[in-house]
Amino acid sequence: MANTNSISLDFTIEAWIKMTELPSTAGSNFNIISKRDRATITDEAYDFFIPSGTDQLRVVFSDGVGYTIVDCDTVFGAGDVGTWRHVAA
């Protein structure tokens, strides 16, 4: 697959993750998948991660002009640590 600055906003992101601790315990975001160039905000991009403040799956995507934040229903707890989990958005 070629790497371009353009993406379709109709997409699915999936991954298997296994956390050693919750992001809120670690005090940092748990990045799962990201496609963006931090040097420019004009590219179309996305981030799939678990913020440390909520322990809830989040997708942020940009169309090159603005961005949209979507919080998924999934919130992780202590029972998810050390266990493989399938995540998708």
Side-chain angles (χ1 to χ4, degrees), residues 10-63:
D10 295 325
F11 62 94
T12 301
I13 299 174
E14 296 182 69
W16 281 93
I17 63 171
K18 184 178 179 182
M19 295 178 285
T20 56
E21 61 186 330
L22 292 171
S24 59
T25 303
S28 62
N29 295 342
F30 178 27
N31 296 310
I32 301 169
I33 300 171
S34 180
K35 186 217 180 295
R36 71 177 158 139
D37 180 353
R38 295 182 192 276
T40 178
I41 60 170
T42 59
D43 291 346
E44 296 177 351
Y46 58 85
D47 287 301
F48 186 43
F49 65 105
I50 305 169
S52 63
T54 64
D55 291 334
Q56 184 174 8
L57 281 173
R58 176 176 284 175
V59 178
V60 178
F61 58 92
S62 170
D63 61 4

